[in-house]
Amino acid sequence: HEQLENTPVERVLGQGSGVILRKNGYILTNRHVVEGAEKIEVRLRDGRVFPATVRGVDRHSDVAVLKIEASDLPAATLADSAQTRVGEFAIAIGAPFSLDYSVTFGHVSAKGRANVVPPYARESLMDQDFIQTDANINPGNSGGPLVNIDGEIIGINTLIRGLRTGIGFAIPSDLAREVS
């Protein structure tokens, strides 16, 4: 027992992706990416690193909003996900397995997917209206954008059903916009 008391606490380094919502430093990501974090840093494509604060989280949609002290940032455009059609191109951007700025593409496989979260986890993720995609999404892509062929965000990558299965899920941009 005494040996456990003197053992240092192991720090876990988590990683995820996000989307700049506003030029003044508001960033959209998943709640599960930032939940329980003691310190959050945001690294932009140009290499700059900023400390970030959590400005809000929504447990039911798995959406979180971060804020960094920056200005004149390139903000993403959120599409009207209600207009997204099954079969259209979908491009997932993120940092799977710590490989920053990776891009995979596929299609929107389905919309309005429900009952994809296992029953034991439903308490933490109640809003289930996901966009399903076969664009390859892996750990580290969470919080990153799923974009259409015009580069507009149609969803926020959130869940995968097993590795390399071609079954990924994104929070529709309309829901992410409303919650954030």
Side-chain angles (χ1 to χ4, degrees):
H1 178 65
E2 188 172 321
Q3 185 180 11
L4 289 177
E5 289 177 8
N6 296 327
T7 304
V9 175
E10 182 179 344
R11 302 261 184 221
V12 177
L13 180 64
Q15 186 178 21
S17 303
V19 175
I20 299 173
L21 274 183
R22 295 190 185 154
K23 293 181 178 204
N24 62 350
Y26 284 92
I27 297 170
L28 183 62
T29 189
N30 286 141
R31 174 197 50 83
H32 77 261
V33 168
V34 298
E35 188 172 56
E38 292 178 13
K39 177 181 170 184
I40 300 170
E41 287 185 340
V42 170
R43 184 166 34 92
L44 302 181
R45 177 78 168 111
D46 63 14
R48 291 184 289 166
V49 177
F50 296 89
T53 57
V54 176
R55 294 304 298 267
V57 295
D58 182 63
R59 184 165 204 75
H60 297 297
S61 65
D62 199 29
V63 168
V65 176
L66 305 178
K67 175 72 167 86
I68 62 174
E69 293 306 318
S71 59
D72 217 21
L73 297 172
T77 301
L78 293 177
D80 177 358
S81 58
Q83 301 301 313
T84 300
R85 295 185 317 239
V86 172
E88 76 175 75
F89 286 113
I91 303 159
I93 304 171
F97 302 108
S98 300
L99 299 168
D100 293 345
Y101 313 111
S102 294
V103 176
T104 58
F105 95 96
H107 302 86
V108 172
S109 305
K111 290 177 63 178
R113 278 291 190 224
N115 299 318
V116 299
V117 178
Y120 60 82
R122 285 198 181 138
E123 180 184 3
S124 65
L125 193 66
M126 296 297 289
D127 292 337
Q128 294 195 59
D129 176 24
F130 296 106
I131 295 173
Q132 182 182 330
T133 181
D134 63 357
N136 204 7
I137 298 172
N138 287 298
N141 274 103
S142 289
L146 184 69
V147 301
N148 61 21
I149 199 77
D150 297 317
E152 301 167 325
I153 297 169
I154 59 174
I156 301 299
N157 301 322
T158 303
L159 294 169
I160 55 175
R161 176 71 58 87
L163 294 177
R164 294 174 292 283
T165 61
I167 301 175
F169 299 97
I171 300 165
S173 58
D174 291 349
L175 178 59
R177 178 189 297 112
E178 181 183 333
V179 170
S180 65

